[in-house]
Structures are given as structure tokens and as C-alpha cells.
């Protein structure tokens, strides 16, 4: 039996909330430094804040990575290009449907809780997986952006569940 292994990744768009948080953190560190004019003891806090901001700043750059291997689909987030956090693993065979979000096959599942693992760009039509998560037992709609090779591999594994675009 032949194994199938496909990876895909997308860089997540920065939302206005993330940009506002970045601006707020920079202003906060600048305020700490401006307070050092009144007390030299606050210089330690200002330097500490600058070091923490410098250390945490790359984590604002997020990238989603999808790995499909023999029917299992993994969702990982990569923070700052170096720190990987596993978010979800599911079996495609246990899904109800895998189709583009604008497909009529997804219409009956739009009421479900949505888990968004997409880049958030408007011009991309994500795929949706309607499935029951094994750890909670509830049905969810998972959004992600596979490449064409991953869709072909999933369709080869479960042709009746996966709709090609």
C-alpha cells in the first residue's frame, strides 16, 4: 500500500487587533523609558520591557501548517518561524464532508462552531471540514487552505467525502 504525505503552509494575515496590540506595546515601552527621567530605578523596568518586547515581537508572525499523512490531517501554528504548536489532529475518514466553503455540500453544516485555521485573506476560498472531534464529541466546521496536491491526496484517500474544486 502506498503512503501519501503532503504538507501545505500559509502565512496568517495580521488583523487590526494584532497591529493595535503591537502599537500599544511599543507605546508602553516608550512610556516606561520616558518615566526614567523622574526615577532611575524605572530604567530597569524600561530595559526589561524593551527586552521582553524584543523577545516576543517575532511571535506576532503566525503561519499555519497542514500535514496530511495517510488519512490523518494535522494543524500546527508556527510562531515567529521557530516555535511550533500543535492545534488539532483528525482522521479524514471520520469527517462528514470536505469541500470548498462556497460549496453547496457545506450548507447543512454552517450552523456548527467554526475553527478557523486560515490565512484570513479575502481572495482565498478556504476548504471546510465538517467533523466530530473525538476529544469533545461535538461537531465542528474546520476551515483551512490546502494546496492542490493535498486536495488530490485527500480525494484519493476518501473520494466520496472530498470534493475537488
Amino acid at each position: 500500500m502506498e503512503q501519501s504525505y503532503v504538507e501545505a503552509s500559509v502565512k496568517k494575515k495580521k488583523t487590526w487587533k494584532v497591529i493595535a496590540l503591537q502599537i500599544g506595546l511599543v507605546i508602553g515601552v516608550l512610556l516606561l523609558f520616558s518615566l526614567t527621567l523622574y526615577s532611575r530605578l524605572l530604567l530597569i523596568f524600561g530595559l526589561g520591557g524593551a527586552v521582553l518586547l524584543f523577545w516576543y515581537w517575532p511571535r506576532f508572525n503566525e503561519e499555519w501548517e497542514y500535514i496530511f499523512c495517510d488519512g490523518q490531517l494535522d494543524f500546527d501554528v508556527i510562531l515567529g518561524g521557530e516555535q511550533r504548536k500543535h492545534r488539532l489532529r483528525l482522521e479524514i475518514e471520520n469527517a462528514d464532508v470536505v469541500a470548498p466553503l462556497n460549496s453547496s455540500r457545506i450548507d447543512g453544516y454552517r450552523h456548527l462552531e467554526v475553527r478557523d485555521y486560515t490565512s484570513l485573506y479575502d481572495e482565498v476560498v478556504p476548504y471546510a471540514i465538517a467533523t466530530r472531534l473525538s476529544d469533545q464529541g461535538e461537531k465542528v466546521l474546520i476551515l483551512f487552505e490546502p494546496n492542490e496536491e493535498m486536495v488530490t491526496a485527500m480525494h484519493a484517500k476518501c473520494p466520496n467525502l472530498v470534493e475537488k474544486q
Side-chain angles (χ1 to χ4, degrees):
M1 181 173 221
E2 187 176 320
Q3 290 186 339
S4 61
Y5 179 86
V6 182
E7 287 184 28
S9 63
V10 293
K11 187 171 174 64
K12 188 174 177 184
K13 175 182 165 183
K14 286 188 181 178
T15 62
W16 64 271
K17 291 178 184 178
V18 171
I19 293 170
L21 179 62
Q22 287 178 320
I23 291 170
L25 288 174
V26 168
I27 289 172
V29 169
L30 290 176
L31 284 174
L32 276 175
F33 272 119
S34 68
L35 291 176
T36 61
L37 297 173
Y38 302 110
S39 171
R40 296 292 170 208
L41 180 62
L42 290 176
L43 180 64
I44 295 170
F45 292 112
L47 289 174
V51 167
L52 284 174
L53 183 63
F54 181 74
W55 173 76
Y56 192 76
W57 194 267
R59 285 166 180 73
F60 286 115
N61 299 323
E62 293 182 358
E63 186 176 333
W64 287 109
E65 183 176 72
Y66 320 115
I67 301 171
F68 179 74
C69 183
D70 289 334
Q72 275 190 341
L73 186 59
D74 289 332
F75 298 91
D76 296 335
V77 63
I78 300 172
L79 303 172
E82 60 188 32
Q83 186 180 12
R84 173 186 303 271
K85 290 191 175 190
H86 181 72
R87 292 293 186 227
L88 180 67
R89 173 175 285 161
L90 56 90
E91 294 284 337
I92 292 295
E93 295 168 340
N94 296 338
D96 293 345
V97 65
V98 180
L101 188 58
N102 57 8
S103 172
S104 62
R105 291 180 69 186
I106 297 296
D107 288 343
Y109 301 99
R110 295 198 190 275
H111 67 281
L112 298 175
E113 173 193 344
V114 175
R115 297 216 179 163
D116 194 353
Y117 300 124
T118 65
S119 66
L120 303 177
Y121 286 104
D122 294 332
E123 61 271 3
V124 177
V125 177
Y127 265 70
I129 301 174
T131 188
R132 184 176 305 279
L133 297 180
S134 59
D135 56 345
Q136 289 121 359
E138 62 187 36
K139 278 195 176 184
V140 295
L141 191 64
I142 299 167
L143 304 181
F144 72 115
E145 297 175 17
N147 56 18
E148 191 62 38
E149 185 181 1
M150 184 175 289
V151 173
T152 303
M154 289 189 300
H155 184 72
K157 181 73 175 175
C158 300
N160 56 338
L161 296 178
V162 180
E163 178 183 317
K164 289 178 122 179
Q165 202 170 23

